[in-house]
Amino acid sequence: MIQDDTRQTIKFVAWVIGLIIIAFFVSIAIFYAAGSKSRGNDQRIAELARSKTPITNISKYYHLDRGTSSYAINGTNKKGKGYYFIYLPNSKKAYLYPAKRGVSEANIKNEFKSSNSNATINHINLGWYKGEAVWEVAYKKPNGNLGYTLYEFKDGNDISEVDNL
């Protein structure tokens, strides 16, 4: 009788471990599938940029959705000249900017930090807003409130700020 109970307990534990392993792999598959759209968009914009622009090496991807969904990349050509490429998938329009004709991500980060020294930057994105290229800085304040600031790509002017979300 004790031997029978031990076998049933071992069977039960084996089933539980098996279900946990299956649940683990299913959750990995779900997370992978959830991110596939973003990975696919990154691949599509990279292919588009490499085929239609001088960009050959991509250093960073961006995504911004402020009323208009936009995907952007930062990259260089064969000679090392920097470019920013913004693609608007809904209208199928694309914009190529030489890096020297706009403000860099590093400069925007410094600009933001100089006026918001207490805030922590969550991320910086390049994209499209009201017909122009913009940088978005999303941040968190020490009190836990969130906010974002939009800067013009061409000259770095602050054009919109939403604070204390």
Side-chain angles (χ1 to χ4, degrees), residues 78-98:
K78 291 178 184 174
K79 296 178 182 178
K81 184 178 177 185
Y83 290 95
Y84 291 99
F85 177 72
I86 301 174
Y87 179 65
L88 310 176
N90 293 338
S91 64
K92 300 200 184 314
K93 291 184 180 180
Y95 301 88
L96 179 67
Y97 297 100

Side-chain angles (χ1 to χ4, degrees), residues 20-37 39:
I20 290 171
I21 291 171
I22 289 170
F24 174 74
F25 285 112
V26 167
S27 66
I28 288 174
I30 289 170
F31 284 114
Y32 182 78
S36 66
K37 182 178 180 187
R39 284 188 302 277

Side-chain angles (χ1 to χ4, degrees), residues 2-66:
I2 293 176
Q3 198 174 25
D4 214 18
D5 286 342
T6 304
R7 283 187 185 158
Q8 285 182 341
T9 303
I10 291 173
K11 267 185 169 178
F12 176 75
V13 170
W15 273 100
V16 169
I17 291 172
L19 290 175
I20 290 171
I21 291 171
I22 289 170
F24 174 74
F25 285 112
V26 167
S27 66
I28 288 174
I30 289 170
F31 284 114
Y32 182 78
S36 66
K37 182 178 180 187
S38 177
R39 284 188 302 277
N41 288 331
D42 288 350
Q43 290 172 351
R44 278 193 291 279
I45 191 167
E47 290 171 12
L48 184 62
R50 286 187 179 116
S51 67
K52 304 286 185 186
T53 72
I55 296 173
T56 55
N57 299 314
I58 296 170
S59 56
K60 190 155 185 187
Y61 294 89
Y62 303 97
H63 174 69
L64 183 64
D65 196 342
R66 292 274 167 237

Side-chain angles (χ1 to χ4, degrees), residues 95-144:
Y95 301 88
L96 179 67
Y97 297 100
K100 66 182 179 181
R101 293 219 177 142
V103 180
S104 71
E105 179 179 345
N107 287 346
I108 290 296
K109 186 176 186 177
N110 291 336
E111 173 72 23
F112 178 81
K113 281 293 195 185
S114 71
S115 59
N116 299 283
S117 59
N118 293 336
T120 303
I121 295 174
N122 290 341
H123 64 269
I124 299 176
N125 277 314
L126 176 65
W128 201 254
Y129 178 72
K130 292 188 177 180
E132 69 177 315
V134 297
W135 287 105
E136 177 198 60
V137 179
Y139 60 90
K140 185 175 185 178
K141 293 175 113 179
N143 64 4

